[in-house]
Amino acid sequence: MNMVDDWRRQSGPVRTNPTRGGVRAELVVETEPPTHPRLAVRGPVFGLAVLDPAAGPHWRLETPVMDGTPQQSRDALNSLLWFRARDDARDPAVRRELLAAVAVLEHQPVNELEVLGCRYRVVRADEWARFGPDGLEPPRPTDREPDDPSWEDRRDTLSADPGFTLRPDAADSASHAHATRLGLRVFAYTGSRFPAEVRRHSEQAVTTHPDIAQLPVGFGVIEREESGWSPHGPLMPTPHDARRLLYGMMARTWPLIHGFDEQRAARYGRAAQSFREAGTANELTVEGRLLRLCRIERMVRCGPDGPEPPRPSDHEMQEPMKMHPGPDESGALLTGE
């Protein structure tokens, strides 16, 4: 499985992770469905979790776990706290504490901060897809769909990640999810394709964070290539959102960004329309290209102190930086964006 892009939505140049792109790690779990009996583990993604005593004793996700690097999640925390200081804080002492945390995030690559009694942590997850003789697994009939499966307007279903409780003990012991979790407890990166440091940190995590919390399932668009399957676009929360993503890429995005001539744009437009008219199709072929919806699963390792943070060997591409205006000379917070 050659996955050299991120499932997340890109707002600039593609960022690839050398521990993810072009790498395949496989393991067999005997209780998985026989049609797609193996797991292709892609590599790490990152997001934010919070432990808020006022909300209960468990860590909860604060943002979708789809970032390609830990620093992207730190930047998300930077913005979350800054906007809270600007828009919600009425008490100057509260505003000062929020901005003090922002200042730390502007200069230090920290993975955890305690702010106003809440612990915020950058958490690490692994993505995988099940696969069998016909390739990666498509959506299942039981996967959730939006209440309003519109094609006309952009009505993406909200990610189920924010607010999701990271509880490894929450699953039914008789379920396939629980059986998969038991198999994943001992999973670690192996083989020379992974740098030695990556393998060592992966093996250590089996001991330091032995429990598995499985996250809500997501869906992506993939394309069959000679070297395997490659993704297009971000991870979506439902199959229909992924179908609408593929339809939009075919009908509008690709002709524009790739400079299709009129004839080629028309071919892609017809293929997109046929795909849409099929309603719940999970793949299409155009100009010999096979495009498919793929079901993506994710897990977070957990230990005695909660979810696993980034590992020292996880890839970074940016340093912390100032993202928002600071206070003016009088101490008032500037409006910014």
Side-chain angles (χ1 to χ4, degrees):
M1 181 171 61
N2 179 24
M3 292 189 172
V4 297
D5 197 357
D6 287 331
W7 293 105
R8 63 182 174 76
R9 198 182 313 274
Q10 299 285 349
S11 59
V14 171
R15 298 179 180 180
T16 59
N17 188 326
T19 67
R20 303 174 70 197
V23 169
R24 176 169 60 200
E26 302 170 8
L27 62 95
V28 176
V29 179
E30 294 180 351
T31 56
E32 290 172 7
T35 56
H36 297 88
R38 295 196 291 174
L39 302 184
V41 180
R42 181 182 173 210
V45 286
F46 305 89
L48 287 175
V50 61
L51 182 61
D52 181 357
H58 303 291
W59 287 87
R60 288 173 168 79
L61 295 181
E62 184 76 16
T63 64
V65 183
M66 297 194 299
D67 290 332
T69 69
Q71 187 57 45
Q72 289 175 294
S73 296
R74 296 184 198 112
D75 291 345
L77 179 57
N78 182 323
S79 289
L80 184 151
L81 298 177
W82 188 90
F83 280 105
R84 189 169 296 169
R86 190 193 73 173
D87 299 334
D88 301 330
R90 297 294 177 262
D91 185 334
V94 169
R95 186 178 302 113
R96 283 195 298 269
E97 184 169 347
L98 290 166
L99 293 178
V102 169
V104 171
L105 290 162
E106 290 175 344
H107 298 97
Q108 300 178 38
V110 295
N111 291 323
E112 183 167 330
L113 278 176
E114 183 168 340
V115 186
L116 299 174
C118 296
R119 293 172 64 188
Y120 294 90
R121 179 179 295 177
V122 177
V123 296
R124 181 190 195 278
D126 271 299
E127 284 184 325
W128 76 86
R130 302 177 189 270
F131 72 99
D134 65 337
L136 301 184
E137 184 185 18
R140 301 175 187 174
T142 53
D143 288 326
R144 70 165 183 148
E145 293 282 13
D147 294 333
D148 179 18
S150 170
W151 291 86
E152 296 297 337
D153 301 320
R154 186 161 186 82
R155 299 177 184 173
D156 290 344
T157 306
L158 294 177
S159 170
D161 285 4
F164 183 82
T165 303
L166 297 174
R167 292 187 60 184
D169 61 344
D172 181 351
S173 61
S175 69
H176 283 303
H178 183 74
T180 298
R181 178 177 331 187
L182 293 178
L184 290 169
R185 284 172 65 100
V186 297
F187 168 75
Y189 298 133
T190 59
S192 59
R193 69 192 76 181
F194 294 100
E197 185 183 33
V198 171
R199 298 197 304 269
R200 184 173 69 255
H201 293 155
S202 181
E203 292 164 1
Q204 290 171 351
V206 173
T207 301
T208 60
H209 295 82
D211 296 318
I212 301 297
Q214 289 182 252
L215 304 188
V217 175
F219 303 87
V221 175
I222 56 174
E223 179 175 0
R224 178 70 181 179
E225 297 182 344
E226 290 184 5
S227 58
W229 294 87
S230 293
H232 292 286
L235 189 69
M236 305 302 285
T238 72
H240 185 75
D241 288 294
R243 292 185 190 103
R244 185 169 51 214
L245 172 69
L246 177 55
Y247 171 78
M249 289 191 294
M250 297 273 294
R252 297 182 293 272
T253 307
W254 288 348
L256 179 63
I257 66 175
H258 296 302
F260 288 180
D261 61 29
E262 185 176 340
Q263 292 76 18
R264 192 178 189 196
R267 284 195 297 273
Y268 274 73
R270 288 192 295 270
Q273 188 61 31
S274 296
F275 176 74
R276 171 175 167 167
E277 291 173 355
T280 58
N282 289 324
E283 68 176 48
L284 65 84
T285 301
V286 59
E287 293 186 342
R289 301 174 64 182
L290 175 60
L291 296 142
R292 176 182 291 180
L293 269 61
C294 175
R295 192 176 194 271
I296 302 296
E297 300 178 60
R298 296 165 297 159
M299 68 176 186
V300 172
R301 285 194 170 275
C302 297
D305 191 43
E308 183 186 17
R311 300 170 187 170
S313 54
D314 286 328
H315 186 66
E316 291 282 19
M317 295 190 68
Q318 288 185 326
E319 298 291 330
M321 62 180 179
K322 187 176 181 64
M323 299 177 61
H324 303 285
D328 62 18
E329 293 181 357
S330 68
L333 192 65
L334 301 176
T335 301
E337 289 79 4

